[in-house]
């Protein structure tokens, strides 16, 4: 298909057929996005369940094809999807989101309004299910950020230097991608929750002279499975985020944002706060436990580098 007026939608998935089925089901309601052709690519990242069957069923009524990536990891999967995509605009989604019917139309219009922009990203709204755990309302802002929410405001504008889109809802012009791909050293691999691949990818794009646009008109809903709302999962996720932060500093060849002694001091303070909350409330509050896990992850990576 012609790259001048075409769009590729890439969805990476691993062993979540029910979530993928929900995501692909909402694609049937998409409105026409323009005059150009549309392709959908589901990247099967070495799944061991009936993921292939789910893709095949939806491919009967969607312009969908399966790409198999045997190397485990979200970065490998995204790179496989980018290499397979034939569209001029490549939209990337996770396998646990749903979108509005005008989703692709809104992305196309944003790309037309900003013809010099190379990448785009939009809002991500966590969907906690019902009944949602009490902490998601008790600590609403923490819950939004901890569960992958992103909201940079209602104005369509260039990303600021410290901002970047999240992998659950992002798009790129194919012309920006031939030399820049996702680093497999970063991003989720199986059960590991290491992240940072999107930020590093955007760093590379920016260093090559590209810029991106925040597009508030292309929101997605991020549906969280019940096990991902358990405190143990949240704390493990934050531990991996702390590790990612230190790995990211090393990748950028910058000095650690916190020295070893400062890291130890913050961990001691958080442990004291945790014990105080346990004494006063019967258990530490989840934001405190998550902050402590983040610091411990950062400390552990800092030790490896020393």
């Amino acid at each position: 298909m012609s790259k001048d007026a075409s769009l590729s939608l890439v969805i990476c998935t691993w062993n979540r057929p029910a979530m993928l089925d929900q995501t692909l089901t909402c694609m049937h309601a998409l409105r026409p996005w323009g005059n150009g052709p549309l392709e959908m690519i589901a990247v099967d990242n070495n799944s061991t369940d009936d993921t292939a069957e789910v893709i095949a069923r939806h491919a009967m009524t969607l312009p969908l094809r399966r790409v198999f990536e045997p190397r485990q990891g979200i970065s490998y999967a995204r790179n496989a999807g980018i290499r397979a995509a034939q569209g001029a605009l490549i939209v990337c989604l996770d396998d646990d989101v749903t979108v509005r019917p005008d989703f692709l139309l809104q992305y196309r219009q944003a790309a037309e309004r900003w013809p010099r922009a190379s990448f785009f990203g939009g809002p991500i709204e966590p969907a906690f299910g019902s009944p949602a755990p009490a902490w998601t309302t008790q600590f609403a802002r923490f819950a939004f950020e901890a569960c992958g929410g992103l909201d940079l405001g209602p104005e369509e504008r260039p990303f600021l230097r410290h901002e970047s889109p999240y992998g659950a809802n992002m798009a790129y012009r194919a012309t920006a991608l031939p030399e820049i791909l996702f680093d497999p050293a970063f991003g989720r691999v199986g059960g590991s929750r290491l992240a940072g691949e999107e930020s590093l990818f955007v760093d590379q794009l920016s260093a090559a002279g590209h810029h991106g646009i925040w597009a508030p008109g292309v929101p997605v809903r991020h549906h969280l499975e019940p096990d991902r709302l358990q405190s143990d999962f949240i704390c493990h996720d934050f531990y991996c985020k702390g590790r990612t932060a230190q790995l990211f500093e090393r990748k950028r060849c910058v000095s650690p944002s916190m020295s070893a002694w400062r890291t130890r001091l913050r961990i001691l303070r958080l442990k004291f706060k945790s014990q105080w909350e346990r004494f006063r409330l019967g258990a530490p509050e989840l934001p405190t436990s998550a902050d402590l896990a983040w610091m411990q992850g950062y400390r552990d990576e800092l030790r490896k580098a020393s």
Side-chain angles (χ1 to χ4, degrees), residues 173-241:
R173 295 192 195 275
T175 52
L177 297 175
E179 303 300 327
I180 301 174
L181 293 171
F182 290 90
D183 187 340
F186 290 80
R188 301 186 303 278
V189 179
S192 169
R193 300 292 297 172
L194 286 178
E197 75 282 0
E198 305 106 322
S199 297
L200 182 59
F201 183 69
V202 168
D203 270 8
Q204 293 174 303
L205 286 172
S206 299
H210 300 284
H211 73 278
I213 298 299
W214 167 249
V218 289
V220 304
R221 283 178 61 80
H222 176 212
H223 299 269
L224 290 121
E225 296 168 302
D227 64 314
R228 298 194 173 207
L229 295 172
Q230 300 298 315
S231 58
D232 287 348
F233 183 92
I234 296 294
C235 289
H236 175 66
D237 193 45
F238 269 72
Y239 175 83
C240 291
K241 287 177 179 177

Side-chain angles (χ1 to χ4, degrees), residues 40-52:
M40 298 181 184
I41 298 171
V43 182
D44 182 348
N45 193 199
N46 204 26
S47 299
T48 57
D49 52 19
D50 58 345
T51 291

Side-chain angles (χ1 to χ4, degrees), residues 111-188:
E112 290 176 346
R113 286 191 293 270
W114 301 86
R116 296 183 180 276
S118 297
F119 60 95
F120 304 82
I124 301 172
E125 178 189 354
F128 301 116
S130 180
W135 65 266
T136 60
T137 52
Q138 183 182 4
F139 309 110
R141 187 63 196 176
F142 168 81
F144 181 84
E145 296 175 353
C147 295
L150 182 65
D151 185 356
L152 300 179
E155 178 187 358
E156 188 171 274
R157 57 171 176 79
F159 282 109
L160 301 179
R161 186 172 182 178
H162 65 281
E163 297 173 339
S164 65
Y166 288 178
N169 183 14
M170 59 202 319
Y172 311 94
R173 295 192 195 275
T175 52
L177 297 175
E179 303 300 327
I180 301 174
L181 293 171
F182 290 90
D183 187 340
F186 290 80
R188 301 186 303 278

